C-alpha cells in the first residue's frame, strides 16, 4: 500500500515549485532507497531534485521569498 502511494506521488514531486517540498520529497526518497536502492526512476528523481536545490542555493533569495534563508 505505501509503495503504491509512493509510486503515484513521485511523478508529481518533480512538478512542484516549492524548494521545501523538494527537500521533504528528498527525505522520503532517501528512506525509500534505503530499502529499494535499485529503482532507477526514484534515483533519477532524486538527482533532479538535488540539482534544483543546488542551483537555487547558488543565487540570492528572490523577492518572493523562494530560496534559502539564513538563520
Amino acid at each position: 500500500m505505501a509503495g503504491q502511494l509512493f509510486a503515484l506521488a513521485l511523478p508529481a514531486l518533480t512538478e512542484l515549485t516549492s524548494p521545501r517540498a523538494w527537500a521533504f520529497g528528498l527525505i522520503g526518497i532517501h528512506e525509500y532507497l534505503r530499502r529499494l536502492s535499485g529503482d532507477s526512476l526514484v534515483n533519477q528523481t532524486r538527482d533532479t531534485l538535488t540539482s534544483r536545490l543546488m542551483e537555487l542555493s547558488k543565487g540570492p533569495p528572490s523577492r518572493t521569498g523562494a530560496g534559502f534563508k539564513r538563520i
Side-chain angles (χ1 to χ4, degrees):
M1 174 84 169
Q4 293 171 338
L5 183 59
F6 185 81
L8 290 172
L10 192 63
L13 186 56
T14 59
E15 295 179 20
L16 298 174
T17 58
S18 165
R20 184 174 293 169
W22 300 338
F24 280 116
L26 284 169
I27 293 170
I29 286 171
H30 174 76
E31 293 301 320
Y32 178 86
L33 289 173
R34 286 178 60 190
R35 298 274 182 166
L36 302 167
S37 60
D39 193 324
S40 60
L41 178 60
V42 177
N43 279 312
Q44 180 182 9
T45 303
R46 179 194 58 196
D47 293 344
T48 299
L49 296 177
T50 301
S51 295
R52 288 181 186 177
L53 285 173
M54 293 303 294
E55 284 299 313
L56 191 61
S57 72
K58 291 178 184 176
S62 71
R63 291 184 203 184
T64 62
F68 293 99
K69 296 179 183 176
R70 298 201 186 275
I71 335 182

